[in-house]
Amino acid sequence: MLNKTDTIASLAKGLRVLECFGAERPRLAIADVAEMTGLDRATARRCLLTFHTLGYADYDGKFFSLTPRVLRLGMGALAALPLPQIVQPWLDQLSEQIGQSCSVSILDGTEIVYVARAAQRRVMSIGLMPGSRLPAHCTSMGRVLLAALPEGEARAVIEGSDLTPRTPRSLTDPEEIMAAISEVRVRGYAVIDQEVELGLRSLAVPVINTRGMVVAALNTGMAALSGEAGDMVRDYLPALLKVQDGLRRVLN
């Protein structure tokens, strides 16, 4: 068991400061960071100025924003994972075959993190790439990954999530979301119809390794221009299941 002398408190504080920034919070003042992290203003200031000195943050005298140098941290971690290297060729082939964008993601707390992607056309207002994050509870890949957890763990994730609706179609009641996750557990796939963004539908299946463990999720997404969400299952589920079967044989 680790004790306090085995950890670096200042490093932990710095990482908490880094995690404050995101797509919805690209520019933050010292007071913002202090409030979000629970650190005092002096500590938040020192952390931010350290990142600025090292080139990880820009500073205009009031607001801090992260620089592209920060990507070295995340991309280095992604590159060290064998999963993206293994799934990328399968994604490229699948995307070319069905003519739609395809992605693989893993669960990180209440969010999914994209680890590989093959894009055909942009169907979301935000650009997605390895390292991008979305809420797990309202995404097809997120529900597949939550369905792989014991029910108590999945419920804890939902209860810890920000359930603010992203569209009028978003499920916001924890019990309704848990019911949807239970359906995914039975069916083996998840369909999302414009819960993340209006005009977007997606279909996901679990990525399973040779030991039968769910290690990631695989999905395809497309514009909701016509037809019903169920049409996706008819048109694309067989291709996703074929890739699922192939990955099951090569992932340890």
Side-chain angles (χ1 to χ4, degrees):
M1 183 175 179
L2 295 177
N3 56 48
K4 291 183 178 180
T5 60
D6 294 318
T7 61
I8 304 174
S10 57
L11 176 59
K13 292 174 183 177
L15 292 175
R16 284 161 60 189
V17 169
L18 271 183
E19 290 176 348
C20 291
F21 294 88
E24 298 177 357
R25 302 182 301 270
R27 299 172 70 246
L28 295 171
I30 293 172
D32 299 325
V33 172
E35 181 179 357
M36 294 169 66
T37 59
L39 301 173
D40 59 69
R41 288 173 61 100
T43 300
R45 178 178 179 275
R46 287 197 301 271
C47 288
L48 288 166
L49 288 176
T50 298
F51 291 134
H52 175 56
T53 300
L54 295 176
Y56 289 105
D58 284 330
Y59 181 42
D60 64 6
K62 182 176 181 181
F63 293 102
F64 290 84
S65 58
L66 298 184
T67 68
R69 186 182 181 91
V70 172
L71 293 176
R72 296 184 184 183
L73 304 177
M75 297 308 293
L78 285 175
L81 294 174
L83 179 64
Q85 301 169 19
I86 294 173
V87 303
Q88 190 64 56
W90 293 83
L91 276 187
D92 293 338
Q93 185 181 64
L94 175 62
S95 180
E96 195 66 30
Q97 175 189 346
I98 67 176
Q100 303 291 347
S101 297
C102 300
S103 306
V104 167
S105 73
I106 58 175
L107 186 66
D108 182 22
T110 62
E111 299 177 312
I112 58 169
V113 182
Y114 284 70
V115 297
R117 182 165 170 80
Q120 287 285 328
R121 59 182 65 86
R122 184 163 168 172
V123 294
M124 292 189 71
S125 62
I126 59 172
L128 294 174
M129 59 180 290
S132 295
R133 291 173 173 265
L134 287 174
H137 71 276
C138 61
T139 54
S140 60
M141 289 191 287
R143 288 191 185 164
V144 160
L145 293 168
L146 290 171
L149 298 177
E151 185 171 349
E153 292 184 24
R155 183 176 293 276
V157 172
I158 297 304
E159 291 177 350
S161 299
D162 179 358
L163 302 182
T164 302
R166 296 175 66 99
T167 79
R169 291 173 174 259
S170 299
L171 297 183
T172 57
D173 180 78
E175 294 305 321
E176 291 183 358
I177 297 172
M178 287 300 300
I181 292 171
S182 295
E183 290 181 12
V184 172
R185 196 175 287 122
V186 172
R187 291 188 312 223
Y189 64 87
V191 176
I192 292 291
D193 188 7
Q194 304 181 78
E195 288 191 50
V196 179
E197 184 171 311
L198 288 176
L200 175 69
R201 291 174 179 152
S202 63
L203 168 68
V205 298
V207 174
I208 304 167
N209 66 13
T210 56
R211 292 169 289 169
M213 299 173 57
V214 174
V215 295
L218 161 70
N219 94 329
T220 185
M222 62 208 65
L225 299 177
S226 61
E228 301 294 331
D231 295 341
M232 294 181 62
V233 178
R234 178 197 65 207
D235 296 338
Y236 301 111
L237 183 59
L240 266 67
L241 291 178
K242 186 175 180 179
V243 172
Q244 179 194 65
D245 185 59
L247 289 172
R248 190 195 304 258
R249 297 194 301 268
V250 299
L251 288 173
N252 295 319

